Amino acid sequence: MTISADTVFSNLQNIDQVDPVTSAIYREQAQEVLATPSITLKLRTAIADRLNRANNDLALHTVGSEDSY
């Protein structure tokens, strides 16, 4: 199933409000969009920024002081 880059961008905005499985699907879809050269650089950059923020937030909330990340 092909999903539009705009939908991926929108999904990343709400990634912190979905369950872990849906979050993983959103991240995978974002990676697919980032690897698609036909998507404009501006949109790929915006998606990469949102994905990066989501990944940083995930690391802050799931990694404890005893964990190595």
Side-chain angles (χ1 to χ4, degrees):
M1 180 173 112
T2 303
I3 189 164
S4 76
D6 291 327
T7 300
V8 170
F9 183 74
S10 178
N11 287 346
L12 289 174
Q13 182 67 32
N14 302 314
I15 199 167
D16 61 334
Q17 300 172 12
V18 297
D19 62 271
V21 172
T22 303
S23 174
I25 291 169
Y26 287 174
R27 291 170 202 283
E28 184 177 348
Q29 291 169 343
Q31 290 295 336
E32 290 174 13
V33 168
L34 293 175
T36 306
S38 62
I39 306 294
T40 65
L41 179 60
K42 183 177 179 178
L43 185 51
R44 284 189 290 148
T45 300
I47 289 171
D49 288 343
R50 280 202 178 166
L51 181 59
N52 186 43
R53 277 186 261 137
N55 287 341
N56 286 337
D57 188 55
L58 178 65
L60 289 173
H61 290 97
T62 59
V63 177
S65 62
E66 300 290 320
D67 296 332
S68 172
Y69 185 76

